[in-house]
Amino acid sequence: MTAARLPSGGRLINRTKAIEFNFNGKLYSAYQGDTLASALLANGETLVGRSFKYHRPRGIVASGPEEPNALFGTGRGDQFEPNQRGTTTEVFDGLIATSQNAWPSLNFDIGAINNTMSRFFPAGFYYKTFIHPRFAWKHFFEPFIRKAAGLGAAPTEADPDLYEHFYAHVDVAIVGGGIAGLTAALTAGRAGLDVLLMEQSTAFGGRAITDGAEIEGKDAAAWVADALKELEALPNVKIRTRMMGAGVYDHGYLIGYERLSDHLVQSGPRHRLWRIRAGQILTATGAIERPLSFAGNDIPGVMLAGAVRDYIADYGTAPGKKILVVTNNDDAYRTGLSAKAAGLEVEIVDIRANGGALTEAAKAAGIPCHLGKGIYSAKGTKTLKGAVICDQDGTGFGGTEIKCDCIAMSGGWSPVVHLWSHCGGKLNWDDTQAFFRPDPARPPLGDDGKAMVQVIGTANGHLDTADVLADAFGSAKSAVKEAGGKAPSDATAPTAKRSAAAPIAPVWKMPARGDLGLDAKTFLDYQNDVKLADVRLAAREGYESVEHTKRYTTLGMATDQGKLSNINGLAVLADTLGKDIPSVGTTTFRPPYHPISLAAIAGDQRGPLFKPVRQTPIHAWIDANGGDWEPVADWRRPYCYKQNGESVEQAVTREILNTRQNVGLLDASTLGKILVKGPDAGKFLDLMYTNMMSTLKPGRCRYGLMCSENGFLSDDGVVARIDADTFLCHTTSGGSDRIHAWMEEWLQTEWWDMKVYTANVTEQYAQIAVVGPKARHVLEKLGGMDVSADALPFMAFKDGTLGGITARPYRISFSGELSYEIAVPASQGQAFWDMCMEAGAEFGIQPYGTECLHVMRAEKGFIMIGDETDGTVIPQDLGLDWAISKKKTDFLGKRAQQRSFLTDPNRWKLVGLKTLDPKTVIPDGAYATDDVPREDGIINMIGRVTSTYFSPTLDRSIAMGLVERGPDRMGEVIQFATVDGKRIKAEICSPVFLDPEGERQNV
């Protein structure tokens, strides 16, 4: 097809299916199975992007998720996505891809001027530059930085695709489908355990097939095919491709990220996020090849040796016609031999004076080998032209230039230990192989104190095929046992021929004694333009911690998260500091291992499902009968019920007066209901609430307050004791989920030895309040149980039936009126509501909404969480000292409330407020101010309004507020400022405006 496409080969492509794609407005050809990176290389495109900081030309470096340069925007319109990695993006017919971070074009990027000024932009320059002059930050620096920040363009249209979540429970989860993963899957699968095997690419077998390994006397490809055939026949084994292990968390929790249809033009879910619970997790994630550090190592055409081998073997693509292999280990020789067999020109540069085990094989194949040499510098700008080689141990002067269009570099391999480290696994430095590997003595531990994650194969530091298979088999047998299974007694590890290998010669700079000017041309982090000189500068300026160096230089903070740069960077840091690598340590590995789409994280929680609206069983009736909705947390509640064209204000007034004079009906189903059960339930609630709950008798209710550890009021509600071991805690409408989570947090982390069970049963019940002086008449007409004052006194409840429906009426009041809150099964909520409306017709029953509720509670001086509280208010501020037990030794917030600033007598405390003009309503949130400014002209604020209404019952405005020393200032007149500059005067009074003796609720 093109000069770069080899005439044969390519195990992952289908040469019978040609497809077309668009790159930067130009059509190109590819084969089914190509990645975007392999397709571009096959079409001779080596310049694919620009670096972030200096806008230097960038080419493809790798062949997997470690790729730092080949990032593209793909699609158009609502299909557009930025930062898609070319090495993991499969080409499909009609794919549209554009390069990023370049303007007006990739070939001519005006941002490249930064490269000519790079000497003025060293590591950390922004910390020193953007602080002076001060005014420039707001007007110049910040706007410029915001515009320059980020890679790619943000999508502007809604994503139309579908994304889903999937939950799985397995005995053994295996991440990685190379020969180690397959061996582990066979071992666990044959033992009868439920196994999930995931592979992030499109094919199993990993590098073993590319490298021509032999297993059980077969070539690796044949062995892999046989293994897959057996696994697919096992019903207890699930096999997934295009699925990555994204993160490992505590308790055997694994996140998998599956790309379902990125490579297809079809409908259906695009990505799937797996939430996996596994008894044992085995990570067979292999290793990533490290780049080498030499001047010009970022020029397009400089690639990892293993990646060059992948493109030749897997995609039938030649990354160059003349390939210069530079290495410090034996593995890269396989790239040279592979390239030579494909008909390409090859030379090998090996820093080791005597070469390695494959040196003679390379020479026998006619490949020139330069031993004891390194690269002084690569030549070229947008494309590679050649390289100057020199003695590795020298200064680099007097080198020899070799013409080439591809450098295949190999600095050794680093095991992929990310998943092991995500949940606490520690690492050891292996001097002989120059990499970090998992420390088996310090694994991530499960609740039982046993290791729940094992790293196997190459990821565990084994580079020889025989060692990989033996390690995978042994670890899998151990996992089978830990997961409760039993491997066949005659099971043995697959065998493989061992290959001789000479030791690696670690090298972190070429040449070893090159001048400092080379450091400024040697790149560690290709995307962020972090150079070797930047790390040395950070060390000189005192950033000795690898974490500090990372942030000062941005090393490892690109989208590849340091997969290629971290080891080289910390080695340079160690060398500069005169320390060994283990003492410098590593940066923290955090999930996800590889970027995953935000849409996959969201799943179907978008649009109407982003935050689903909770509806009570009465919702449809309310909507059909004039309900004027307002959001209350996740619920929708009726603000009022408008009738006959009346305004909202008129509706609220009507509802208040009718409820005070006749009877009203309120849908209170949104109130949180949390069941707390167990022998220690009372003890537990005594700690959760400020007042005593363990002394509450069955059949009785008690109002309770909850505080945070800092003593501030968090929630309130009525607690009912159902029996000796069972309580039902009512919370605010917006607090049910939060308070249930709060309870569980304490039970699981602090009071884990308490025998207590909690359940959020909010939506299991409809709760309907029948309120007003005629409320008892309505329930008596329904019949079924005695609701008289003697049979059902205030703050009590009974179980029985009303109107033939199982019901639990609570005799509680939030309005000050005779009131019953009746809990019935949610399925019977609408039926019970209808019965109440019918039975109450002769008594003038009308439904009322939340505003009526709020006004009536304010008339009685009852607080509302979120109105009278704001996260800084304690119960004592609200005059609720009576709800704080003097008998209990402890409860959440008790000690905090004894701090000096919370016992200060000058704190703002709750009072009532009566405006001097009864018709004037103080604006909500208005602040009270001193009459006279201070000497410095500042006007002190001495309080604020928390709730304010016009009361139809009292025919005047009422308000509650927090005022400095409020209860000590009864009768005093203070003033409130309004936004239009006016002042409203109000008299401080009791917050209880109506029926202070409580006679109305006790009838």
Side-chain angles (χ1 to χ4, degrees), residues 86 137 207 399 479 562 599 682 690 718 818 903 922 955:
W137 172 255
R207 301 208 60 86
T690 63
V718 171
L818 172 64
T903 58
I922 309 174
D955 194 29

Side-chain angles (χ1 to χ4, degrees), residues 228-262:
L228 285 173
K229 185 176 180 180
E230 180 179 349
L231 289 170
E232 288 167 354
L234 292 173
N236 53 308
V237 177
K238 301 183 187 72
I239 303 174
R240 313 299 297 183
T241 57
R242 300 183 177 91
M243 180 171 166
M244 174 187 69
V248 175
Y249 304 83
D250 293 338
H251 316 298
Y253 185 44
L254 169 67
I255 291 293
Y257 173 55
E258 184 178 14
R259 294 171 293 120
L260 297 168
S261 59
D262 278 350

Side-chain angles (χ1 to χ4, degrees), residues 222-414:
W223 183 87
V224 168
D226 291 343
L228 285 173
K229 185 176 180 180
E230 180 179 349
L231 289 170
E232 288 167 354
L234 292 173
N236 53 308
V237 177
K238 301 183 187 72
I239 303 174
R240 313 299 297 183
T241 57
R242 300 183 177 91
M243 180 171 166
M244 174 187 69
V248 175
Y249 304 83
D250 293 338
H251 316 298
Y253 185 44
L254 169 67
I255 291 293
Y257 173 55
E258 184 178 14
R259 294 171 293 120
L260 297 168
S261 59
D262 278 350
H263 60 296
L264 303 172
V265 184
Q266 66 175 43
S267 59
R270 184 174 179 187
H271 298 162
R272 177 183 292 147
L273 195 73
W274 289 61
R275 299 169 180 264
I276 305 160
R277 291 287 182 181
Q280 288 285 296
I281 299 172
L282 302 178
T283 67
T285 45
I288 293 175
E289 195 168 22
R290 292 195 297 262
L292 287 167
S293 300
F294 53 86
N297 63 343
D298 67 323
I299 297 171
V302 180
M303 302 176 65
L304 296 174
V308 170
R309 194 152 81 244
D310 288 340
Y311 287 115
I312 292 172
D314 293 344
Y315 302 102
T317 294
K321 294 180 180 180
K322 172 67 181 292
I323 297 177
L324 179 64
V325 177
V326 56
T327 183
N328 64 352
N329 64 86
D330 280 4
D331 186 72
Y333 279 84
R334 296 189 177 94
T335 297
L337 291 167
S338 176
K340 185 68 175 179
L344 306 175
E345 289 187 66
V346 181
E347 292 191 43
I348 296 178
V349 173
D350 190 336
I351 70 164
R352 299 171 297 179
N354 298 317
L358 293 177
T359 302
E360 293 305 317
K363 289 179 179 179
I367 301 174
C369 296
H370 309 275
L371 304 182
K373 303 292 184 179
I375 292 184
Y376 177 75
S377 65
K379 300 297 182 180
T381 51
K382 296 177 183 177
T383 59
L384 182 68
K385 302 296 184 183
V388 176
I389 67 170
C390 62
D391 290 337
Q392 169 59 20
D393 292 334
T395 60
F397 293 107
T400 302
E401 183 170 348
I402 297 177
K403 299 292 183 182
C404 61
D405 57 0
C406 176
I407 293 178
M409 57 181 171
S410 179
W413 294 82
S414 296

Side-chain angles (χ1 to χ4, degrees), residues 895-973:
R895 280 166 290 177
Q897 291 171 3
Q898 296 168 359
R899 291 177 292 181
S900 59
F901 71 91
L902 293 183
T903 58
D904 185 349
N906 293 320
R907 282 183 65 83
W908 293 7
K909 297 196 173 185
L910 188 71
V911 294
L913 298 164
K914 295 191 297 186
T915 54
L916 299 189
D917 177 4
K919 302 301 182 184
T920 299
V921 179
I922 309 174
D924 200 5
Y927 277 90
T929 60
D930 273 338
D931 293 336
V932 181
R934 297 183 337 202
E935 291 182 2
D936 56 8
I938 300 297
I939 298 178
N940 282 335
M941 289 183 291
I942 60 171
R944 64 177 173 84
V945 171
T946 59
S947 297
T948 177
Y949 308 97
F950 185 84
S951 166
T953 308
L954 303 171
D955 194 29
R956 66 158 297 118
S957 70
I958 61 171
M960 292 192 290
L962 294 166
V963 175
E964 182 181 318
R965 296 181 292 104
D968 299 331
R969 303 168 70 170
M970 290 295 164
E972 185 177 329
V973 175

Side-chain angles (χ1 to χ4, degrees), residues 728-748:
L728 189 65
C729 304
H730 292 85
T731 74
T732 55
S733 294
S736 60
D737 294 340
R738 173 174 55 86
I739 296 302
H740 183 231
W742 175 247
M743 289 180 172
E744 282 297 312
E745 179 180 347
W746 285 96
L747 284 173
Q748 294 180 32

